[in-house]
Amino acid sequence: MQLILNLDIPPLPRPITYTDKILLIGSCFTENMSERLVQHKFKTLSNPHGILFNPLSVAHSLDSYLDNVQYRKEDLFYLNELYNSWDHHTRFSHTNADAAIAGINQSQQQAADFIKEANWVIITLGSAFQYYLVDGNRPVANNHRAPAQWFQKKLLTIEEITASLEKTLQRLHTLNPSAQILFTISPVRHIRDGVVDNNRSKARLVEVVHALCQSHTFAHYFPAYELIIDILRDYRYYDIDMVHPNYLATSFVWEHFVKSCISADAQKVMKEVHDIAIARAHKTRFPDTEAHAKFKAGYLAKVADIQLRHPYLDMDEERAYFSA
């Protein structure tokens, strides 16, 4: 008995390998995929601006890395006892302006260096709604819990989204011609916009992304959105808020991502890395026993072996743990 539809996902023309550098940017779903890539020891840089939802903010952040923009204290604003940036997530906010700028610019420099050598840029778009400051009509990436009357909300048109992302993709391809783009649409429901407007928003993102992929041979699409909305399509796969996909759902998406986007050779290495990671996370009740010493010695040998065969893997933490 077949209980769900099958979704035929074509493999990437050039699948992701362990030697690739991967920049991930976009919504909170980006963070989930990034964590799994990090767990498997891929070379990643995730959300240098923090979580971003709308395409204009994503394009603006990528442009800032291409231009190696450095921020100043004048770019911050003070609210709720914190210095904040309208371009950045609250994880960059700080009680001290100098500390906030230092954190932002350190991340900016890291991203500017990384994007020059990135083999893959994975962009996850979450919402086509953009907020603008009423005072000055400035687009913002995060409202930082400012009063609602400070903002005007707008549903971006397909033409506006396309123009913004198209310009950024062209600039990125000029700076780094070997970089490949992988678009995804976040399956997270922006239910605060309402069910109808959330669907309008997602539809515009889907239309733009497919148009860009048709226009550029270096742009590709992975159907994370469709896997959850159309294949799983059940609230049992969402958290209690009925908005965010739960662990089972994201694991389902991850499995399909690995099969269609990561090379067969890398998948074999991933299984070995995963086995070591599970052992690293194991909590023993009796750390002083001979059995536990043998357990650690066995995995230390596995770490040494995999590093010998795959020297590009960073297993220093695992080596330190099992040799302690």
Side-chain angles (χ1 to χ4, degrees):
M1 179 183 296
Q2 182 176 330
L3 298 179
I4 63 173
L5 292 172
N6 292 321
L7 180 59
D8 184 23
I9 306 175
L12 292 176
R14 188 185 72 77
I16 297 170
T17 70
Y18 262 107
T19 56
D20 287 338
K21 289 187 174 182
I22 309 167
L23 173 64
L24 300 100
I25 187 167
S27 79
C28 50
F29 191 75
T30 298
E31 304 272 294
N32 185 278
M33 292 295 104
S34 174
E35 287 175 6
R36 292 175 185 263
L37 287 167
V38 169
Q39 289 170 0
H40 288 87
K41 300 297 180 178
F42 284 89
K43 301 172 183 176
T44 67
L45 179 62
S46 178
N47 275 341
H49 264 62
I51 294 171
L52 301 171
F53 297 106
N54 70 80
L56 295 193
S57 294
V58 168
H60 177 72
S61 64
L62 287 171
D63 287 338
S64 76
Y65 312 146
L66 297 172
D67 294 331
N68 196 6
V69 171
Q70 294 291 292
Y71 283 76
R72 304 169 300 170
K73 284 195 290 185
E74 292 77 13
D75 297 317
L76 303 178
F77 68 97
Y78 190 69
L79 179 69
N80 298 327
E81 302 182 76
L82 296 173
Y83 289 94
N84 312 277
S85 165
W86 289 123
D87 293 338
H88 294 78
H89 188 264
T90 51
R91 73 179 173 90
F92 288 98
S93 300
H94 203 283
T95 55
N96 181 277
D98 290 325
I101 285 297
I104 288 172
N105 284 337
Q106 181 181 10
S107 186
Q108 286 287 126
Q109 187 63 59
Q110 184 182 18
D113 294 337
F114 195 93
I115 201 169
K116 296 175 184 176
E117 301 177 349
N119 304 98
W120 285 94
V121 179
I122 300 179
I123 301 173
T124 303
L125 303 176
S127 174
F129 280 99
Q130 173 70 60
Y131 286 82
Y132 295 85
L133 287 174
V134 173
D135 184 12
N137 199 38
R138 185 198 193 284
V140 301
N142 193 295
N143 64 17
H144 297 282
R145 298 184 179 180
Q149 59 268 27
W150 286 19
F151 306 101
Q152 180 181 18
K153 178 181 176 182
K154 176 184 177 183
L155 180 59
L156 298 171
T157 66
I158 290 176
E159 292 75 19
E160 288 173 320
I161 301 170
T162 302
S164 179
L165 290 174
E166 174 69 37
K167 180 181 177 182
T168 298
L169 291 190
Q170 292 287 4
R171 296 192 62 211
L172 173 58
H173 192 59
T174 299
L175 176 73
N176 183 354
S178 63
Q180 299 288 300
I181 309 297
L182 183 59
F183 281 107
T184 66
I185 305 299
S186 171
V188 176
R189 292 185 175 101
H190 287 247
I191 210 65
R192 291 182 181 177
D193 299 325
V195 173
V196 173
D197 277 347
N198 174 68
N199 285 338
R200 293 179 67 201
S201 166
K202 297 290 188 182
R204 296 186 184 196
L205 297 178
V206 170
E207 181 63 25
V208 168
V209 164
H210 282 284
L212 291 172
C213 290
Q214 289 178 346
S215 300
H216 302 288
T217 57
F218 58 86
H220 316 276
Y221 182 70
F222 174 74
Y225 178 75
E226 290 81 359
L227 282 170
I228 291 182
I229 300 298
D230 292 315
I231 304 303
L232 296 183
R233 54 184 303 122
D234 194 303
Y235 278 108
R236 80 181 73 177
Y237 299 110
Y238 280 82
D239 277 338
I240 194 171
D241 62 3
M242 299 186 185
V243 170
H244 292 84
N246 60 21
Y247 178 82
L248 184 61
T250 54
S251 296
F252 180 77
V253 173
W254 170 252
E255 289 175 4
H256 282 77
F257 177 82
V258 171
K259 290 177 183 177
S260 63
C261 298
I262 296 180
S263 72
D265 289 340
Q267 290 183 43
K268 295 176 183 178
V269 179
M270 288 174 67
K271 293 178 180 179
E272 295 185 66
V273 171
H274 182 69
D275 176 59
I276 293 171
I278 294 297
R280 169 70 175 84
H282 174 69
K283 302 295 182 183
T284 182
R285 291 179 59 199
F286 307 106
D288 298 327
T289 62
E290 183 178 347
H292 186 63
K294 290 181 179 179
F295 168 81
K296 293 178 70 174
Y299 273 96
L300 180 61
K302 288 186 177 183
V303 170
D305 177 61
I306 196 173
Q307 280 195 307
L308 181 64
R309 290 182 288 114
H310 308 285
Y312 47 79
L313 291 176
D314 180 4
M315 305 291 288
D316 291 345
E317 288 186 8
E318 289 73 16
R319 181 187 291 274
Y321 173 78
F322 291 119
S323 63

